[in-house]
Amino acid sequence: MEGVFQITGWDETPYLENTDGSKKSHAKITQSYTGAIVGNSDIQYLMSYQADGSAVFVGLETITGTIEGRSGTVTLQHNGQFINGVASSEFVIVASSGTDELAAMLGQGSFISGEAGTANYQLNLEINE
């Protein structure tokens, strides 16, 4: 399954900044999804920027919407990086995190950023009923 998400909000606060330009920060992000996922999400990332401008990040994302025609919420656990202006992440659906019709949803996927705050995602699902 594939689609696109659009970043709709970004609020990032550094909590440790070093003289070499490296820093640690916390970001709160909102997104809208189209494609296999239709809905919105809220993300909390912890980010570690290096002096060269690259970064790694981990986080939790809660999606509210429909996936494969089923509605509810589900949480993704991210492990990503930002290199040469491109963000990417591998993620998994957190077991037992789904609600309503998404309660039995499991799977994993990835995204790679595009232009103007968009990213292409792919998702491999397993419905554990």
Side-chain angles (χ1 to χ4, degrees), residues 2 6 8 12 28 32 57-58 60-61 72 92 94 99 103 116:
E2 299 178 341
Q6 172 72 52
T8 56
E12 185 172 346
K28 296 178 185 179
S32 63
F57 58 90
V58 296
L60 295 174
E61 174 179 11
V92 297
V94 176
T99 66

Side-chain angles (χ1 to χ4, degrees), residues 14-25:
Y15 61 88
L16 176 64
E17 296 183 84
N18 300 309
T19 57
D20 67 356
S22 63
K23 68 179 178 179
K24 309 293 185 271
S25 67

